[in-house]
Amino acid sequence: MTFSDAVYAALGAGALAAAMLPRLVFRRPLSMPMVFLAVGVAVALLPLPLPVVDPVQDRLWVEHATEVCVIVSLMGAGLALNRPFGLRRWAGPWRLLGLAMPLTIATTGLLAVVFLDWPPAAALLVAAVLAPTDPVLAAEVRVGEPADSERDDDEVRFTLTAEAGLNDGLAFPFVLAAIALAAASGGAWSAGWIGPWVLGDLLAKTAIGIGTGLVTGRLLGLMFFRAKPSAVRLSEHLEGFVALGATFLSYGIAEIAHGYGFLAVFVTACTVRAVERNHGYHKVLHEFTEQIERLLTAFFLFLLGAYLAKTGFDTLTWPAALLGLLLVVAVRPVTAWVSQIGMSTGPREKIVTSAFGIRGIGSLFYLAYALGHNDFSGLAKQMWSLIAFTVLVSVILHGITATPVITHLDRLRRTSRRAP
């Protein structure tokens, strides 16, 4: 038996497990990401000469592979949302994006300076990298498949899914701010980069990403559902892989135009959904993206578990571990709660929305991307240890609690609806 034969067998077993596990762990305090993370740890500890991905040496591979995983999940999230765009309809996500995310970045950056004594650029980077929410790692807290009514989206699942879809793109300006600060000052504080960053990275690239998503989504939606030639009206053929075409097309156009591709993909998905909101083809597209996303997520969490078991903890310090733990259990919950003050959402929903700010694949991409532009005072290994540990804490804590918490919340919601 050759090593390649073992790889094929492992890939086949992993794909089958990715198909079965969501059903096996359904309604249990366990998640598919937890299982694959544990399997990665267990396999890496076996006395076998198995290769392990080093995110420092294999940075470029990690960046592009996680990039694909993120954009596929963004397409799936946008297609699943039943609620149309609107200031009031999307009040929860807007508050989490406009208030909770900046507060989380500021607080985490300050803690990185205090606890780790890192330079401002490095502190800002880890804060921005850890800011995005990633509900793909806990299926119970995200919107399910597309439905016919916007009322099928309960507030918690809708808010977390919409937040994740948008802040995976809106965290990018802060990552670029850290890169700009590192380049301008060599790690110390400098203000000369702020003006170009606001005009270019914050405003222009965001506008290009949103605009690309709106135009691309509208054109694709018209083609899918209203084109006169039946060969072009793809909704009649029910081919799910078209979702990948829409994903890569909108992402590529936005990036070529120097905009944020993550934003473009999510907006494209929402716009395609809006063209013909209740068409069954959305379920076909969503199911295909969900399957691809599940495979990629299982693959990356297996590799993350192996990395943690082999070398991931070598450069992790107690202050860094405390920082990651505080982000998950205190910083995100508090800032998200503050951002929801004054909303009509019930207190239970606010608490659950605040608590499940899950960290995942997006954080891995952002760190790999940033380290390709600057070495951030040689802190790459320490940063990878911190980010990987934080994702580990999030996967375990949220994986265990998501099912019982959301199940209890659903039960209370059904009871209140039946009450006279």
Side-chain angles (χ1 to χ4, degrees):
M1 181 184 70
T2 65
F3 177 75
S4 61
D5 296 330
V7 170
Y8 286 129
L11 289 174
L16 292 173
M20 293 184 294
L21 276 174
R23 296 165 181 84
L24 293 174
V25 303
F26 183 67
R27 296 300 183 186
R28 292 180 173 86
L30 190 66
S31 67
M32 185 190 77
M34 290 174 60
V35 174
F36 276 98
L37 197 62
V39 171
V41 171
V43 170
L45 293 178
L46 293 175
L48 298 173
L50 299 175
V52 176
V53 173
D54 184 335
V56 177
Q57 296 181 359
D58 304 318
R59 183 205 61 79
L60 188 61
W61 181 89
V62 172
E63 176 188 338
H64 291 303
T66 52
E67 184 178 28
V68 172
C69 186
V70 172
I71 61 176
V72 170
S73 68
L74 290 175
M75 176 59 68
L79 289 171
L81 291 174
N82 305 308
R83 194 177 305 186
F85 271 124
L87 292 177
R88 291 187 178 180
R89 290 190 181 102
W90 286 52
W94 298 144
R95 284 175 175 249
L96 290 177
L97 292 165
L99 294 175
M101 188 171 71
L103 287 173
T104 299
I105 292 174
T107 305
T108 306
L110 180 62
L111 291 175
V113 172
V114 173
F115 284 9
L116 308 179
D117 195 28
W118 283 0
L124 177 58
L125 177 62
V126 296
V129 163
L130 289 171
T133 294
D134 192 352
V136 67
L137 296 187
E140 284 289 343
V141 299
R142 64 176 180 179
V143 171
E145 65 179 15
D148 292 337
S149 174
E150 65 178 87
R151 295 180 180 178
D152 289 334
D153 289 347
D154 70 82
E155 196 61 37
V156 171
R157 290 185 175 92
F158 166 76
T159 299
L160 287 171
T161 305
E163 179 204 7
L166 287 167
N167 74 4
D168 260 328
L170 294 177
F172 226 131
F174 297 96
V175 173
L176 295 179
I179 295 173
L181 175 59
S185 60
W189 177 253
S190 172
W193 56 273
I194 295 179
W197 173 78
V198 170
L199 294 176
D201 297 333
L202 183 61
L203 298 179
K205 290 186 176 183
T206 299
I208 292 171
I210 294 174
T212 300
L214 290 171
V215 174
T216 305
R218 181 66 179 174
L219 293 176
L220 288 175
L222 292 174
M223 182 180 74
F224 291 170
F225 302 106
R226 301 180 186 177
K228 291 184 178 180
S230 61
V232 179
R233 196 165 56 249
L234 297 176
S235 60
E236 295 185 359
H237 306 288
L238 302 181
E239 293 173 329
F241 70 87
V242 171
L244 287 183
T247 300
F248 295 139
L249 179 65
S250 59
Y251 185 78
I253 292 174
E255 291 293 321
I256 290 173
H258 302 289
Y260 291 130
F262 286 176
L263 270 180
V265 170
F266 182 73
V267 174
T268 294
C270 292
T271 307
V272 168
R273 181 73 193 276
V275 171
E276 201 71 44
R277 184 163 298 280
N278 298 327
H279 199 286
Y281 189 47
H282 296 301
K283 292 184 180 181
V284 176
L285 297 174
H286 177 265
E287 287 174 0
F288 186 86
T289 59
E290 187 177 38
Q291 290 168 0
I292 300 299
E293 171 195 310
R294 197 187 307 165
L295 283 171
L296 293 173
T297 302
F299 175 66
F300 285 119
L301 288 173
F302 175 85
L303 294 180
L304 180 63
Y307 162 69
L308 286 168
K310 285 292 188 179
T311 62
F313 291 118
D314 291 351
T315 55
L316 182 69
T317 63
W318 284 109
L322 179 59
L323 172 61
L325 189 62
L326 282 175
L327 171 71
V328 174
V329 303
V331 175
R332 155 65 190 206
V334 171
T335 56
W337 173 265
V338 169
S339 72
Q340 297 176 87
I341 292 176
M343 289 185 61
S344 59
T345 310
R348 293 189 186 92
E349 285 77 7
K350 289 179 181 176
I351 291 172
V352 175
T353 300
S354 302
F356 285 95
I358 301 165
R359 272 49 192 164
I361 305 300
S363 296
L364 306 181
F365 164 76
Y366 280 126
L367 184 58
Y369 175 88
L371 290 174
H373 291 76
N374 195 287
D375 67 354
F376 286 88
S377 305
L379 293 171
K381 290 186 177 181
Q382 292 90 327
M383 288 181 177
W384 275 113
S385 293
L386 168 58
I387 302 307
F389 173 77
T390 306
V391 173
L392 171 67
V393 170
S394 181
V395 168
I396 295 174
L397 179 61
H398 294 127
I400 292 173
T401 58
T403 295
V405 168
I406 296 298
T407 300
H408 179 66
L409 198 62
D410 288 342
R411 188 182 302 116
L412 291 175
R413 190 180 299 111
R414 288 192 297 266
T415 303
S416 64
R417 287 175 180 174
R418 289 196 298 265

